[in-house]
Every structure is written in C-alpha cells, then in structure tokens.
DNA sequence: ATGAAAGCGCTAACAC
DNA sequence: GTGTTAGCGCTTTCAT
C-alpha cells in the first residue's frame, strides 16, 4: 500500500458529500449545521485527513500567514547581534500571538521577488545591505513597514536618532574636551577606518548620519573640539571591527578624553581595551554608547548610553503591519547615566 | 488604470507564444533556443512581468525552497540565547548559500501541520517544548533531521553528551570534593528548584540526563560526594533563572566546593554571584560550564567548559537535510581548561 | 444548507 | 523546438 496523501476531493468522495462542504467544515463553521460539521471532522480524523493543503490554500486565498522580516545584513550576522535579536524577539512575539509565521530574509540577498508572491507582508529592519531590496519593497504591493530607516511611501518605526545622539553627547561633553566618534556604517568601506573626507553614504536616510549630526551639534555647542581625522567608520557592530577602531583611538597622540560610540558593542570593546591599557574611565576617558543592551549594564564601570527598546520596536512594527495601519511611529528613548561618564 | 498583476498567460498572449514557452524561458533554458529565450526575457522585463508566481509554483512543483527550523522553545527565547543563535547562524549560512529560505518555527506552537504542506523539510533543534511536534515530525513525510535529541527513524546531529560531561567533571573534581550540579530542564517544573526525587522527564532522550549521568559517573569514580538535594533544575538557560539557583547553591551550608553547570550562561551567573559574595574562584569554588560561548572566555577568571561548535552543528544539519542523506552524525567536542578550575 | 463548477497561476507530459 | 492540455488542491460564487 502506497501512502499517497489524502485530498479534499478524496475525502468528499469517501464521505459522499461535496468538496465545498468539507472545505466549509474546516474554514467556515457557520456554513453548515453543527452536527454535520462535527461528524465530518470526526470522520476526517478517523481516516487521517488533517485538513486542507496549505500550499493550495496559499494559491487560492492569496494568503499564507507568512511574514518576511527583511534584515539589514546576513542572517548569521544579525542573529548574533544583541540589538537585532531583541528586535526579532519583539516581532516574533506578536506574530506568534496572531498565528503568523516568520520568514527571515537576509538583506544581502538577490531579490525580494523570490518570496513576494507567497508572503503576506514585509517588515524591513534597517537599510538592507543590498539596497535594491528597498527599491523592490517600495514597488511591490503587499503591506510593508520599515524600521530604523525610511522608504518613500511606507510607514516606519523609528526613534529620533538626531536628538538621542545630541542629548547623550551633551551629557558627556564638557568645555575643552577632545572628542572622537566611533561611527557605524558611515561610508561604503568593508573595513574599519577613519573617514576624513570620504564620500558619505545615504546621508539623508541613514540613522548613523543623523546621530553624527546630533553629536556634532553637541560638540559645537559645548565648546569642545573634534579634529577631522577623529571620526571612525566601523562597518558592522561587531567586536573584531570595533576592537581595531578602539586600538586606533587609544593610541592616538594626543588622545581624546571623550569618545562617542554609535553602539554599545563598540563602546564595550573600547572600554575593555582602555581598561586593559590602564587608562582610567571616566577620569582619563569618557565613553558613551548607543542602544542600551543588557551587557552594557553588567560591566564595571557600567556604560552611559542611549536606551532604546528594540523589543518594543519589533512589537510596534509587527502590530502596525498586521493591522495595516499606515501611520509611522517615533518611539521614545532614555538616557542611561552610567559610570563611563563622570556625574 | 487598475494595476492587476500580470500572469504567465497574459504574457503568452501578448507575445503571441504559448504559456509553456514562457515557462520554459524562466525555468528550463535548455528547452528553447538562446535567442528566443533572451527575447522573451527582455520582453517580460519591458512589460513588467517578473517571472512565474511563486505561490503557484509551490502548489504545482510541490517545492517552496522554504526550510522550517523547529526550535525547542519560543522564538523570543531562542534568539536571545547565544548557543541557539549560533546554531541558527550555521543553518542559515548553508541555506542562503543554497538559495533556501528560513522559516523559524516555535517549539511551543500548536502543530506542525500548519506549515508542513508548504515547507521542503524540517530541522528540529532540541526537543520541542510541545512534544507533540516531535511526534508529528516523525509521522509526516518531508525530509527532517533532529539536533541535540532523537526522534525514532530520523537522522540526527549530536555530540556525545555523556562523555563530554564525564570528562569535564573528571578534570574538575578531586577526591573529597563536595559537588553540586546546576542542571538544565531536568524535570517539568517551570521554575528553578532542587530536584530531590521528582520524576525526571524524557530520561532516555534528553541530553540533560545524559550529562547528568556523565557527571555522576565522574563523581563516583573520583571519590567525591554529592548529596541528593544538591542537584538543581533550571527551566531555561536564562540569567534570571540561573541567578536564583546560584544564590541557593552559594547559601548552602555547608557549601559545595565544586559546581558542575549544564550551560555557560548558568556558570557565568554563578561565577558572578560568587565573586560578588567574595568567594574565591577556584580556591573556594570550582565551576565548570557547558557550550563554550564567547563570553565565557572574556570573564576573569575565564570559564572551564566543554566547547561544542553550535555553528558547525547547524551547518551539518542543514547540509544533511538538503542532501537528504539519512546518516546521523556525532560531532566532536573540546575541553577548555579555564581559570575556574585549578590546574 | 448543500452541491456543481470555475479557476487561483503554473508545470510537465505529450502531441505536433 | 513549440503548442495543447490536464491538473496540482483548494475556495467560492452561484444555483438549487
């Protein structure tokens, strides 16, 4: 006996009713009497029919209950990033609660076209490394929402990066300070480097540039100084990249006494490097981070940083997508005054 | 003008060729002349047809290029666990390379039936919290592979947990030691507690019980002692749960001088608690972990632990699934002698 | 309340 | 090489 899978038609035949009735028994309880429905369901259970084939339903209904989460980077990179995985956490909690499935889509993939036909919508977390994806996203017609960046015509979830950076910098900087900035993805380079006068990328949409502007305003207002070779580009919020930048900053002569970092990972790496070189934090070196990851509060000294709730971002994005509300949201942030900046 | 999506049929009509030819142009280059194919593709591009609808392809071909990763726990929990996210990393690197999509499926979901019809296969990472999923997995007919546990009839990827536990314990324990064990998911309880004589779960398949057996053998052989109320159950490898167990262990009177932990997260939490209580490690307290996460090597003292490559596990599992080889694999592990055990 | 039938968009066997 | 056609498994009008 070959075990070929039962179809709705088979079952209808066996039970001597029409396919529509079986279909209704599973999908539209109101379309048939309770007794009939229960009888049919019981029979299906008995003969081993587990319900309508989902692949066929996707085609027929045009709905799959699959939501694609388009990431900025590759999946391997993203899941090991604490900020991103917290975001995923938020998204998935809402999706699960609504019976939706989560498809992870890497931001360095070829084209969104290979999933667009069978997903119900997109959440796009950060500017995808392959920027073509963003354009495709703008052009296609399924519901979509962006987070931490914008696509013309789509709703988004964001924080006010300019202000957050400005405020944390104001807290950290005193008149006369010598400031350096460890920036995230400011230019196209795949390696850590100073930016000098390199062409900047996506200046208008990138959150990094908004943060940079906020920092600069604060430096300017505080009568501190920053030289044009004291802004670093770090391609990914990843420890090895950050470590190199940390080394370069700390070996500068003269050395900055305040370093503004665009992620906590970067800041923590800098902190660790500084401590192991015997540099006193915050007496000789003040450090600020960005994100508010848990680990940043476990270090001694703990980090002064901007706390944003990535989980909440994820929840908001998922909720907005599922309700198809087209409103953009700006989420609040908190300043966390830690020990890496003197009180 | 309403913008209704183009279908293969529309295009065939417009270009004056048959649907089969268009289909072949996209799927089977060898079935038509190069010139014709290129002409068709160019025309499609011009009129805005981006290729055959994937939902229809899934139904027709019975293949979606989607692989479901069935997790032991909820998605939120899993992505924040460093071991699991490293595993995901491994899986996704292979999938991406092979043009497959990744669907995350929570281990506490209702039933695999709502995806089985449209995914190409399953990777099951750890015994799903809702154990019914494992049974469904055994019964369905798509390719599937398990990791860190077994389902009758399915290939698996594992390490030798018994031996790993035995060996690390042997390294840690000296004659006369008083040993305690911080175990992971040993009983059904959702909260941290001592197990005394509680009924154990899935004793035969659970990796935790294999580890427990390994520890016990080593304790026995080393002429050390463990009392029956010195084995803790921790429901998840999560800091808050671990913290509580750590507190209970360290406040025991008398206090063990050796604690074997079933995950690095647990061990790190214990280490931190011990240090903050002024207990000297390893002089007064020896600690071993399990997994070999990165953070375990960044602490002072760094952790003595069992290193298993979760990324490799993920790669192996994905590769095995895609090649449909039915062989099970036992991966090697390394003992890492850190400073939490005296040399 | 239930059944008949069209067709979602495509692929693959087969005929030409 | 190219076209015709059956049908993947289902849902949903529409008639009854």
């Amino acid at each position: 006996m070959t075990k070929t899978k039962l179809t709705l038609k088979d079952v209808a035949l066996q039970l001597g009713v029409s396919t529509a009735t079986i279909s209704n028994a599973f999908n539209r309880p109101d379309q048939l009497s309770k007794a009939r429905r229960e009888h049919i369901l019981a029979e299906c259970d008995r003969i081993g029919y587990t319900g309508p084939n989902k692949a066929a339903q996707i085609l027929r209904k045009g709905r799959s209950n699959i939501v694609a989460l388009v990431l900025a980077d590759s999946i391997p990179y993203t899941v090991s990033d604490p900020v991103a995985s917290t975001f995923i956490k938020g998204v998935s909690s809402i999706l699960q609660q609504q019976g939706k499935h989560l498809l992870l889509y890497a931001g360095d993939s070829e084209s969104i076209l290979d999933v667009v036909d069978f997903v119900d919508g997109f959440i796009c977390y950060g500017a995808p490394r392959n920027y073509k994806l963003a354009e495709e996203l703008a052009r296609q017609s399924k519901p979509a929402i962006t987070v931490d960046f914008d696509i013309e015509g789509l709703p988004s979830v964001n924080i006010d990066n300019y202000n957050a950076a400005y405020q944390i910098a104001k807290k950290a900087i005193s008149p006369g300070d010598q400031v350096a900035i460890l920036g995230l993805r400011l230019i196209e380079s795949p390696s850590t480097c100073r930016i000098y006068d390199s062409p900047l990328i996506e200046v208008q949409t990138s959150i990094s540039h908004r943060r940079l502007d906020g920092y600069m305003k604060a430096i300017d207002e505080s009568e501190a100084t920053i030289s044009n070779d004291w802004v670093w580009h770090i391609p990914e919020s990843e420890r090895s990249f950050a470590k190199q930048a940390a080394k370069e900053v700390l070996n500068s002569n003269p050395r900055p006494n305040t370093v503004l970092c665009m992620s906590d990972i970067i800041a923590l790496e800098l902190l660790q490097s500084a401590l192991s070189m015997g540099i006193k934090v915050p007496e000789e070196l003040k450090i600020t981070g960005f994100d508010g990851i848990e680990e940043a509060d476990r270090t001694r000294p703990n980090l002064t940083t901007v706390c944003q709730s990535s989980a909440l971002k994820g929840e908001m994005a998922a909720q907005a997508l599922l309700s198809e509300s087209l409103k953009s949201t700006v989420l609040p942030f908190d300043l966390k005054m830690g020990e890496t900046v003197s009180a």
Side-chain angles (χ1 to χ4, degrees), chain A residues 232-252:
Chain A
W232 271 261
H233 156 79
I234 297 175
E236 286 181 6
S237 189
E238 212 260 316
R239 297 195 114 89
S240 59
F241 290 116
K243 179 164 248 137
Q244 191 192 328
K247 214 167 104 188
E248 291 184 26
V249 175
L250 297 175
N251 289 330
S252 295

Side-chain angles (χ1 to χ4, degrees), chain A residues 99-341:
Chain A
K100 305 291 179 185
H101 304 298
L102 174 62
L103 183 94
L104 255 31
Y105 196 84
D108 57 356
S109 304
E110 270 303 301
S111 164
I112 228 104
L113 291 177
D114 48 34
V115 301
V116 69
D117 293 327
F118 65 80
V119 303
D120 293 347
F122 296 91
I123 296 172
C124 188
Y125 181 54
R129 172 159 304 235
N130 174 7
Y131 202 75
K132 186 184 152 207
L133 301 187
E135 287 155 12
E136 291 178 340
L137 224 38
R139 219 156 29 220
Q140 59 85 43
S141 60
K142 304 246 169 139
I145 186 168
T146 65
V147 178
D148 280 355
F149 87 117
D150 291 289
I151 292 180
E152 172 90 31
L154 293 184
S156 68
V157 175
N158 265 297
I159 66 163
D160 184 342
N161 282 281
Y162 174 81
N163 241 309
Y166 170 73
Q167 290 186 27
I168 194 83
K170 281 291 260 191
K171 294 280 190 187
I173 302 174
S174 311
D177 276 352
Q178 311 235 290
V179 184
I181 294 173
L182 293 188
L184 195 52
R185 220 166 296 155
L186 290 168
I187 59 175
E188 281 289 4
S189 166
S191 48
T192 295
C193 59
R194 306 188 192 219
I195 65 170
Y196 299 100
D197 304 310
S198 319
L200 306 177
I201 51 170
E202 299 156 26
V203 173
Q204 67 297 4
T205 56
S206 142
I207 57 174
S208 293
H209 287 288
R210 300 233 185 91
R211 293 181 191 173
L212 188 56
D213 292 344
Y215 288 155
M216 288 304 189
K217 170 125 182 279
I219 293 170
D220 193 43
E221 281 186 13
S222 308
E223 293 168 38
T225 60
I226 181 167
S227 70
N228 84 325
D229 60 344
W230 272 13
V231 180
W232 271 261
H233 156 79
I234 297 175
E236 286 181 6
S237 189
E238 212 260 316
R239 297 195 114 89
S240 59
F241 290 116
K243 179 164 248 137
Q244 191 192 328
K247 214 167 104 188
E248 291 184 26
V249 175
L250 297 175
N251 289 330
S252 295
N253 192 345
R255 199 173 64 209
N257 76 326
T258 306
V259 182
L260 309 172
C261 304
M262 288 200 194
S263 84
D264 285 353
I265 295 286
I266 296 173
L268 289 177
E269 203 60 42
L270 177 66
L271 173 61
Q272 191 177 312
S273 297
L275 294 179
S276 73
M277 286 169 71
I279 298 170
K280 294 209 181 74
V281 178
E283 294 80 358
E284 300 175 87
L285 182 71
K286 293 181 283 186
I287 301 176
T288 69
F290 208 110
D291 290 333
I293 65 176
E294 285 179 26
E295 194 180 348
D297 198 38
R298 286 199 295 267
T299 55
R300 289 287 93 80
N302 66 1
L303 201 58
T304 291
T305 190
V306 174
C307 294
Q308 54 175 332
S309 172
S310 294
L312 182 58
K313 264 193 210 165
E315 291 165 20
M316 297 292 293
Q319 228 136 30
L321 184 77
L322 296 182
S323 69
E324 302 207 26
S325 83
L326 291 168
K327 292 206 320 274
S328 289
T329 311
V330 175
L331 257 30
F333 57 85
D334 283 322
L335 299 185
K336 154 96 202 223
M337 297 310 297
E339 300 151 351
T340 57
V341 166

